[in-house]
Amino acid sequence: MRHPPSHQHHGYLFLLLYLMSGATSLAYEVLWTRMLSLQFGVSIFGVVVTVAAFMLGLGLGSLSGSRWAVNLRWPLRWFALMEAGVALFALATPHLLRALDASLADVAQGSSLSLWLGLQMVAVLVVLALPAFAMGAGFPLILAAMRRSRVSLGAIYGINALGGAFGALLPLWLLPSLGWLSALQAVALTGLLVAFIAWLGSRAGQASAPPSMSEQERPPLSWLLIYAGIGAAALILEIAWTRLFGMVLLRTEYVMAVILAMFLVGVGLGSLLARHMRRDVWFLLLPLVACAFALLSRWQLPHLAAWVEQTRFDSLFDALLWQGAAIAALTLPVTLILGAWLPLLTRRLGGGHHYGAWLYGANSLGAALGTLAAGFVLIPLLGSSASIVLGGLLILTFGLYWVESRRAWLALPVMALAGLPLLGMPAVSSLMPATYGDAKTLYSHEDAIAITHVVERADGQRQQLADLRRMDASSEPTAVTVQKNQARLPLMLHPDPHSVLFLGLGTGISAAGSLAFPGLERNAVELSQGAIVAARDYFAPVNGDIVPRLSLTRDDARHFLLGSAAHYDVIIGDLFHPDLVGRSALLSRQQFKRARARLAEGGLFVQWLALNQFDVANLRVVLRTFRDVFPRAVLFVDGFRLAMVGPRDGAIGATALLSNLARLDEAARDAATGGEGAWTWLGRYWGSIPASRGSLQDEWAPVIEYRLPGARYDGGLDLSRLLDHLLQRRPSLRQAATELGVAEADFAAFERTYAATGLAYRSWLALLREQTAESQRLLPLAYQANPRDRWIGFAMADGILGNLPAAEARGLDERALLEAVLRIRPDHAEALRRLWRLAREAGQTEQAAAYRARLAAISPLDRALREAP
């Protein structure tokens, strides 16, 4: 029977509506996931709970709608009401999430981390499952409205999935342009437009045809259960892919959207192509090919990681485009098959479109279960690599249900054997061969929080990597000193610190900087179990075995600050990469307020920033935000790291620092200042944070995580531009002395160190601008002003070592030059290593032993120490 043209036109209208509906639905999912990452901290919990809530709602909505949609006379009107309800719910979401945030903040006090996360999970599942239920009910409603059209189920499902792919990518443009709140409002207004068009279409069209008797039936229960199993396996793959691909790709707020979009592109295209798969052999090929390519995606992971490491992208868009294409190439065969299964099964059942809604609902419920299993069980217990293997084998197992030949089951043990070598995480040397090709992996730990690696380089030095590409810390002597300085400066600035809290333990090296201060109660909060083990077992030689000497709590910093009733004299915020998923919340106004609330009277909070991770505009956003919470905040520098110092009350001054150090004996004073003296640190003062207008970093209106990734590619992360900006805003000598309360008798000492810091930064700025002569002119002047400054001293010493070949060519003695380096910096590891070698070669046993002892004191993990007799 030929359908009237009007019915066919209505079918195209319905497809357009469902395309737009898919786009808004996935845009909601991405936007809500972004905000829920604030609730769950730096982990995959936000992704897991949001996806699970969506799949649960979609499944329940589709199954419920399958029962009553077939009897509705005007299903498109109900679809319009559902879309409008979701849009209105989205507009109310910010208020709901704020209320949820406030309620959970109250619950945080006195609750454990697991209980807090569990309550959040239940609350989020309930809240987000409601709009997802309406979205799921839209599928049978659209199918009922299209009974008279000739549009296939595969076309309907495929178009919706392709719309979802566009919707997943839409926030990549909306978020940097509008911010989270305005982006959500824009998507909600689009949803209202879809509802309005659907309502008009229902009034212009005809009533739905009455259902046939077969449309009152549901598919066999066994089919629903098996297809639910395939949904669970598919989402196990998606969550594991998100974790592993996110580890090697951009790792920003954009990664989930790109992976989700590529997943949906495959599902959509597979559903559209299903109309050409008419032979029964496809039911054998689908599970075999899906499993094989799932294993192949894991096998190709090192190649993808190495390509990303060595490829230079010209823009953020370029990086997203090519990395998205790489993801598609690895996952498309699997997702094409996942998309084709629904229309193929429906056609095989011969029951019409309404069977598709039943199968879709069962698949979505299975997907919700698979999501929770992946995030909370499989990845923490087995790891992401093993989860990919398991997901592929499950697809094969469930897919073979529809294959009549028993011999086909022989493929299962074959695929299992092929997956055995892929169960473990690849070695770091294979994932990043250019950077860590010579490194040996000493320790690897994966949980829902992070993937932690400890690697040992060829020279024996160790590095801790969080999620592969972010180096937390190194055991290299210069790095150790810099990390200890993160504790030294805050503890010096407080007049009499009795307690300190470290927000993040890392390798424990920063906390080790507190060991020089007697009678100090040390506390640390660290979420990553891998970091805790690494600090205890792999970095003890360089962190003073700090872990047993502090009170360590495994917790999210946000939850800890909310739930703790304790107060601290000093709270220290460690370094982190602010453009990574969830990290920028640690630089928000709310986080700074939480830290301020935990300060004792006279206490201070210090947040460290790495200057090379910021451009000028985003640094100003963070500084404005910090000043908003700490109006008397000041800045100090230590090399290319900036310390934002926020006193709860009072002001930062020289008198407090000098009196604090005066209570220590000479050895403790030397250790507390890192051997640089009190005035060197006071000379690193950079003034108060100036008032300025502009946006703040707010958890509900985030800024920097969407701007910084682009700055990485457009040249915005220009350290020379940032140094120039800071130099122009540094206060004059007299102004700085007045602000710090420097006594007139101490002015000369302060003048020398303050001038030395300024000269050093001008020298480094000239070097960055390739003005070598100017840099070489300024650096000796800085050294003459303050030879105790280790940054300046090392720059001078490294300059001598760099010119060593030329000096030797002029007949100068290598040993004399190396001794000159040690006169500048007695703790220069490379000079000590070379002098030790020269002494051994000359047979000077006692002198060689002395050099070796000095090297061992500053670089205990040096491989040369272990290999030499």
Side-chain angles (χ1 to χ4, degrees):
M1 176 179 175
R2 185 177 179 82
H3 294 273
S6 61
H7 292 165
Q8 195 65 21
H9 293 157
H10 288 147
Y12 294 139
L13 171 63
F14 298 157
L15 282 180
L16 176 62
L17 288 174
Y18 210 37
L19 174 79
M20 296 176 65
S21 175
T24 56
S25 297
L26 267 294
Y28 290 139
E29 181 178 351
V30 172
L31 290 169
W32 285 334
T33 299
R34 166 60 188 86
M35 292 315 298
L36 288 172
S37 67
L38 297 176
Q39 304 291 334
F40 292 96
V42 184
S43 68
I44 62 171
F45 290 147
V47 174
V48 167
V49 174
T50 307
V51 173
F54 259 74
M55 290 301 168
L56 177 65
L58 290 175
L60 293 175
S62 185
L63 292 177
S64 300
S66 299
R67 290 184 174 275
W68 48 264
V70 293
N71 296 312
L72 294 176
R73 182 170 172 78
W74 300 97
L76 194 60
R77 292 186 181 180
W78 284 97
F79 175 80
L81 292 175
M82 293 290 183
E83 288 291 312
V86 173
L88 293 174
F89 182 90
L91 291 174
T93 298
H95 305 288
L96 289 173
L97 290 180
R98 285 178 186 267
L100 177 63
D101 184 63
S103 299
L104 291 172
D106 295 334
V107 173
Q109 298 184 10
S111 66
S112 65
L113 176 63
S114 57
L115 176 61
W116 189 58
L117 289 174
L119 290 173
Q120 289 182 95
M121 183 181 75
V122 173
V124 168
L125 283 172
V126 172
V127 171
L128 291 191
L130 293 175
F133 180 92
M135 296 175 193
F139 187 46
L141 289 171
I142 282 289
L143 293 178
M146 299 181 71
R147 282 198 200 103
R148 296 185 180 183
S149 75
R150 296 169 56 190
V151 181
S152 68
L153 173 68
I156 299 169
Y157 182 52
I159 287 295
N160 181 255
L162 291 176
F166 173 77
L169 295 175
L170 185 62
L172 303 189
W173 172 68
L174 292 177
L175 286 169
S177 305
L178 303 178
W180 181 82
L181 184 60
S182 297
L184 183 65
Q185 292 169 343
V187 175
L189 291 176
T190 305
L192 289 173
L193 176 62
V194 172
F196 178 70
I197 296 173
W199 184 267
L200 292 180
S202 70
R203 296 186 62 185
Q206 299 182 5
S208 174
S212 64
M213 291 298 295
S214 65
E215 289 178 311
Q216 306 294 333
E217 301 174 356
R218 63 167 175 80
L221 180 61
S222 60
W223 285 50
L224 294 177
L225 292 176
I226 292 298
Y227 197 46
I230 288 178
L235 266 294
I236 289 172
L237 279 178
E238 183 181 347
I239 297 300
W241 278 339
T242 300
R243 161 52 68 88
L244 286 185
F245 292 154
M247 177 183 71
V248 302
L249 299 179
L250 289 173
R251 300 163 300 131
T252 68
E253 299 288 351
Y254 300 98
V255 168
M256 180 205 165
V258 173
I259 294 175
L260 185 58
M262 294 304 101
F263 192 91
L264 289 169
V265 164
V267 169
L269 292 177
S271 184
L272 293 174
L273 291 172
R275 61 184 299 182
H276 303 292
M277 301 176 182
R278 295 286 178 178
R279 301 176 63 184
D280 286 344
V281 71
W282 284 106
F283 284 95
L284 172 61
L285 293 177
L286 292 182
L288 287 173
V289 174
C291 180
F293 275 92
L295 299 181
L296 183 64
S297 70
R298 162 57 187 84
W299 181 70
Q300 287 289 329
L301 179 66
H303 303 284
L304 173 66
W307 170 73
V308 171
E309 180 193 22
Q310 299 174 46
T311 303
R312 180 179 180 84
F313 301 101
D314 296 327
S315 65
L316 177 61
F317 175 81
D318 190 46
L320 290 171
L321 176 64
W322 288 105
Q323 293 187 24
I327 293 172
L330 291 178
T331 62
L332 193 59
V334 181
T335 55
L336 282 171
I337 290 166
L338 294 174
W341 241 314
L342 179 64
L344 288 178
L345 292 175
T346 304
R347 187 167 67 214
R348 188 164 180 176
L349 282 168
H353 286 182
H354 74 288
Y355 274 9
W358 281 95
L359 289 167
Y360 175 79
N363 184 263
S364 297
L365 288 179
L369 180 62
T371 301
L372 294 174
F376 295 104
V377 180
L378 298 178
I379 288 178
L381 293 181
L382 304 178
S384 298
S385 291
S387 296
I388 287 178
V389 174
L390 178 61
L393 293 176
L394 286 176
I395 287 178
L396 176 61
T397 302
F398 290 120
L400 289 175
Y401 174 82
W402 292 291
V403 178
E404 295 180 359
S405 174
R406 293 186 177 181
R407 287 185 296 177
W409 287 91
L410 294 175
L412 187 58
V414 173
M415 290 295 182
L417 288 173
L420 283 178
L422 306 175
L423 293 176
M425 181 70 68
V428 173
S429 57
S430 67
L431 293 170
M432 299 186 69
T435 306
Y436 296 105
D438 63 343
K440 174 185 176 183
T441 301
L442 299 180
Y443 171 69
S444 179
H445 176 83
E446 180 180 7
D447 53 29
I449 307 303
I451 301 174
T452 303
H453 291 96
V454 176
V455 298
E456 185 176 86
R457 307 299 298 262
D459 59 2
Q461 302 301 337
R462 295 173 183 173
Q463 293 179 350
Q464 179 173 306
L465 310 177
D467 290 334
L468 188 63
R469 294 182 181 275
R470 179 173 66 85
M471 187 182 76
D472 266 357
S474 169
S475 66
E476 195 275 327
T478 300
V480 167
T481 300
V482 172
Q483 292 164 70
K484 288 182 177 180
N485 287 349
Q486 290 179 204
R488 286 169 174 151
L489 174 66
L491 290 171
M492 279 190 284
L493 291 174
H494 192 282
D496 187 17
H498 293 282
S499 60
V500 60
L501 171 64
F502 296 93
L503 298 180
L505 176 67
T507 59
I509 297 174
S510 294
S514 67
L515 292 174
F517 295 84
L520 188 64
E521 177 192 316
R522 300 174 183 84
N523 306 271
V525 55
E526 174 59 58
L527 186 57
S528 170
Q529 181 63 28
I532 294 172
V533 174
R536 184 192 65 205
D537 297 342
Y538 294 93
F539 288 92
V542 290
N543 68 22
D545 197 21
I546 189 67
V547 175
R549 306 171 73 174
L550 51 75
S551 175
L552 178 60
T553 303
R554 189 184 178 206
D555 202 348
D556 174 72
R558 179 174 179 270
H559 171 256
F560 183 86
L561 292 174
L562 285 171
S564 174
H567 291 80
Y568 306 92
D569 292 325
V570 177
I571 300 177
I572 301 172
D574 204 352
L575 286 172
F576 52 84
H577 289 242
D579 62 333
L580 300 188
V581 179
R583 305 296 166 103
S584 64
L586 299 176
L587 296 177
S588 67
R589 175 167 46 182
Q590 288 84 352
Q591 178 68 0
F592 294 154
K593 286 182 177 180
R594 289 188 281 265
R596 183 185 178 115
R598 300 271 63 84
L599 287 175
E601 183 178 353
L604 57 91
F605 172 58
V606 178
Q607 177 63 61
W608 288 92
L609 305 173
L611 292 177
N612 63 341
Q613 296 171 1
F614 287 89
D615 60 355
V616 173
N618 286 292
L619 179 63
R620 294 183 68 183
V621 170
V622 176
L623 294 178
R624 270 196 301 270
T625 305
F626 196 80
R627 187 181 188 276
D628 182 73
V629 179
F630 296 96
R632 298 181 180 179
V634 299
L635 300 175
F636 281 80
V637 296
D638 180 37
F640 297 123
R641 300 185 179 193
L642 184 70
M644 301 186 297
V645 182
R648 198 195 81 163
D649 40 54
I652 300 299
T655 302
L657 183 146
L658 294 172
S659 63
N660 182 8
L661 293 177
R663 66 189 178 90
L664 306 179
D665 60 41
E666 184 177 354
R669 270 199 307 273
D670 190 62
T673 64
E676 297 184 274
W679 290 108
T680 295
W681 283 101
L682 288 169
R684 290 168 177 165
Y685 177 69
W686 217 271
S688 59
I689 300 177
S692 63
R693 293 183 177 181
S695 55
L696 303 179
Q697 177 66 11
D698 190 281
E699 289 180 349
W700 300 100
V703 177
I704 61 175
E705 57 264 57
Y706 301 112
R707 294 181 181 174
L708 277 178
R712 184 189 304 178
Y713 296 99
D714 65 11
L717 299 187
D718 184 343
L719 186 57
S720 66
R721 193 181 307 170
L722 197 62
L723 290 185
D724 185 53
H725 172 79
L726 291 174
L727 282 167
Q728 291 179 23
R729 284 154 182 78
R730 196 184 191 209
S732 66
L733 173 64
R734 277 294 174 185
Q735 181 182 350
T738 301
E739 291 175 359
L740 286 173
V742 176
E744 192 62 34
D746 296 323
F747 183 79
F750 177 69
E751 180 180 22
R752 287 192 300 273
T753 60
Y754 193 79
T757 300
L759 287 167
Y761 275 82
R762 286 170 55 194
S763 171
W764 296 327
L765 176 60
L767 189 63
L768 290 170
R769 290 178 171 175
E770 299 182 351
Q771 299 169 352
T772 307
E774 177 68 3
S775 176
Q776 292 175 347
R777 183 185 73 83
L778 293 171
L779 191 60
L781 296 176
Y783 181 73
Q784 291 173 18
N786 183 20
R788 297 189 70 179
D789 188 303
R790 98 183 293 278
W791 285 98
I792 298 172
F794 265 93
M796 290 284 293
D798 288 342
I800 295 175
L801 279 180
N803 291 322
L804 194 59
E808 290 178 327
R810 295 196 303 269
L812 298 178
D813 181 61
E814 178 185 4
R815 177 172 291 188
L817 290 170
L818 292 172
E819 291 288 357
V821 169
L822 289 186
R823 283 193 294 273
I824 296 173
R825 286 305 316 177
D827 55 349
H828 199 290
E830 179 59 24
L832 286 170
R833 193 178 297 111
R834 293 190 185 190
L835 284 168
W836 174 35
R837 174 182 56 82
L838 291 174
R840 281 187 299 161
E841 292 175 351
Q844 299 169 339
T845 306
E846 292 186 7
Q847 198 167 17
Y851 286 132
R852 176 175 182 160
R854 290 172 63 181
L855 178 62
I858 63 173
S859 184
L861 295 175
D862 198 299
R863 185 175 297 278
L865 295 172
R866 286 178 277 168
E867 294 180 349

